[in-house]
Amino acid sequence: MFKATFLFQDGGEVAVDVAPDQTVLEAAIAVDAPVRHDCCSGSCGTCIAERLDGDATLEAGDMALPLTPSELAGGLMPTCLTRLAGDTRFRLPYPLHPAAPEPARHAAHLLSVTAASPTVHRLLLEVETPEDFDFRPGQYLRIRPPGLRAVRAYSIASRPADLPLVELLVRHVPGGQMSEWLREKAQPGDRVALHGPLGSFAYDDRAAAHLFIAGGTGLAPVLSMIRSRSDDSPALLCFGCSKPEDLFYLAELRELAATHPNLSVRVALFDTGGGAVPEGVAQGTALSVLTDADLVPGTTAYLCGPPGMINAASQFLAGNGLPLSAIRAERFLPS
Ligand SMILES: Cc1cc2nc3c(=O)[nH]c(=O)nc-3n(C[C@H](O)[C@H](O)[C@H](O)COP(=O)(O)OP(=O)(O)OC[C@H]3O[C@@H](n4cnc5c(N)ncnc54)[C@H](O)[C@@H]3O)c2cc1C
Ligand code: FES
């Protein structure tokens, strides 16, 4: 265990203990230290602090960071990707008082964890105080399960009208803290801490048409938007999965298309593993089932899934004349 000491602009100082399996931000969140944050995954830049001394390492792999190389060289670090190898002091560019408003905190009970596919967990939670809890379709929650130090972001797949029930879809990442907790330990009745709802990924009710492009569990926020739709504008969902074991919710999507006359659904499987492609599923990606003719004027596009898919889809849509202002995206960045 090492100590992270935060020095605030007004001279305030807060020290937190950081365990080896925690990032500096996770340790700060665990004790309610007022370190500002949002995505918890190295994309927004909100949690950046300046390392003054000590031994801290950035675990960013080859991901693009919200920092220039000179800022990195100058000691700026996203604390959500920073681990300690010794006591370290960080300077924060805002005062300790007054503290910035925190995202709302809630608690929920786990009702069930089932397998939507061999690699996708479906969680059903019951929020304890639904009268204080509201969200817009497309938003996400940060979740901390009991006994786990990690906090992870998950998009809500259900509708606000389903509250107090909240449905989440979680892809299994082998060795991942949340993934292994879900597979090995989670039990009905477990109490989980929730922060949020968060995020600005939202349905555009002024659009003439809607194009949803989802990869894997990127289906979750899109599903919440589609299930909540009350207007009759045309909508097309292109949903892609990598392998047969990743494919989930085929029956639910067929049912949605059958009961929503203005909704078309196309599903694609990238790698069939040598087997036959399931009926009604194309071989390819969420993007390859899309044609130029689908991009009618006034379309708003909603992209959700891994960053690679989102970048490819944004380029395709912008290259085919969709204004950038009509492209909305949620990236499922690894925590
Ligand atoms: C705004 C937002 C919303 C999100 N919503 C969802 C959602 O609805 N459903 C969902 O399944 N996920 C979602 N995610 C991703 C999610 O927050 C976690 O990152 C993911 O579930 C992995 O958590 P873990 O604890 O199981 O693995 P970790 O303990 O975080 O990771 C273990 C190892 O796997 C690597 N890793 C983690 N994720 C990936 C990945 N996707 N691909 C490759 N390597 C990875 C890590 O770098 C690490 O080395 C969202 C992320 C964000 C930022
Ligand atoms: S909280 Fe967004 S970069 Fe760390």
Side-chain angles (χ1 to χ4, degrees):
M1 191 89 86
F2 296 109
K3 203 169 280 301
T5 304
F6 297 102
L7 307 179
F8 293 80
Q9 211 178 36
D10 57 357
E13 203 173 302
V14 172
V16 305
D17 290 328
V18 185
D21 62 346
Q22 278 180 311
T23 65
V24 169
L25 182 64
E26 282 170 357
I29 292 174
V31 296
D32 291 337
V35 177
R36 295 182 189 173
H37 57 281
D38 184 0
C39 70
C40 291
S41 54
S43 62
C44 70
T46 313
C47 70
I48 287 173
E50 179 189 353
R51 184 174 67 86
L52 298 175
D53 53 30
D55 199 352
T57 51
L58 195 59
E59 288 192 353
D62 54 3
M63 69 182 283
L65 291 173
L67 285 165
T68 61
S70 60
E71 286 171 328
L72 277 171
L76 295 190
M77 308 180 87
T79 53
C80 62
L81 300 179
T82 301
R83 291 185 196 272
L84 296 191
D87 292 352
T88 304
R89 292 190 309 153
F90 296 95
R91 183 156 46 210
L92 292 168
Y94 47 85
L96 178 58
H97 300 292
E102 279 283 297
R105 284 159 190 252
H106 302 274
H109 284 94
L110 186 61
L111 294 181
S112 61
V113 184
T114 49
S117 86
T119 60
V120 177
H121 306 280
R122 175 181 186 262
L123 278 73
L124 210 52
L125 302 171
E126 183 171 10
V127 177
E128 284 182 0
T129 51
E131 61 280 9
D132 300 333
F133 185 93
D134 197 13
F135 72 95
R136 278 176 289 112
Q139 287 195 291
Y140 70 93
L141 294 167
R142 274 195 227 117
I143 297 192
R144 189 168 60 218
L148 218 69
R149 294 178 187 279
V151 179
R152 298 286 182 261
Y154 294 104
S155 297
I156 303 174
S158 45
R159 303 170 307 161
D162 298 323
L163 285 168
L165 301 186
V166 170
E167 179 192 18
L168 307 175
L169 295 165
V170 178
R171 185 172 83 87
H172 189 81
V173 175
Q177 291 192 55
M178 176 63 118
S179 299
E180 296 304 337
W181 179 79
L182 286 171
R183 185 157 283 179
E184 304 293 336
K185 297 196 176 135
Q187 293 293 335
D190 282 346
R191 194 164 189 259
V192 296
L194 307 177
H195 293 182
L198 297 157
S200 52
F201 189 51
Y203 188 72
D204 177 4
D205 48 20
R206 289 166 309 171
H210 306 267
L211 170 61
F212 301 96
I213 301 181
T217 48
L219 184 64
V222 156
L223 208 49
S224 179
M225 291 187 205
I226 292 175
R227 286 167 161 171
S228 307
R229 259 163 56 88
S230 55
D231 58 291
D232 55 7
S233 48
L236 167 63
L237 165 63
C238 300
F239 172 47
C241 289
S242 303
K243 299 189 177 133
E245 60 268 30
D246 302 330
L247 200 53
F248 65 101
Y249 274 21
L250 260 190
E252 282 84 350
L253 294 178
R254 286 189 185 129
E255 169 80 15
L256 262 183
T259 52
H260 293 69
N262 297 311
L263 172 70
S264 309
V265 175
R266 296 180 200 157
V267 182
L269 188 57
F270 181 67
D271 175 2
T272 63
V277 183
E279 200 190 327
V281 175
Q283 184 162 9
T285 64
L287 206 51
S288 68
V289 291
L290 193 65
T291 66
D292 299 353
D294 295 319
L295 298 177
V296 296
T299 296
T300 290
Y302 310 84
L303 319 178
C304 189
M309 185 215 87
I310 289 182
N311 294 344
S314 306
Q315 273 177 21
F316 174 86
L317 296 174
N320 281 278
L322 206 66
L324 286 178
S325 58
I327 304 176
R328 303 179 173 198
E330 185 79 292
R331 290 174 166 76
F332 279 9
L333 290 155
S335 23

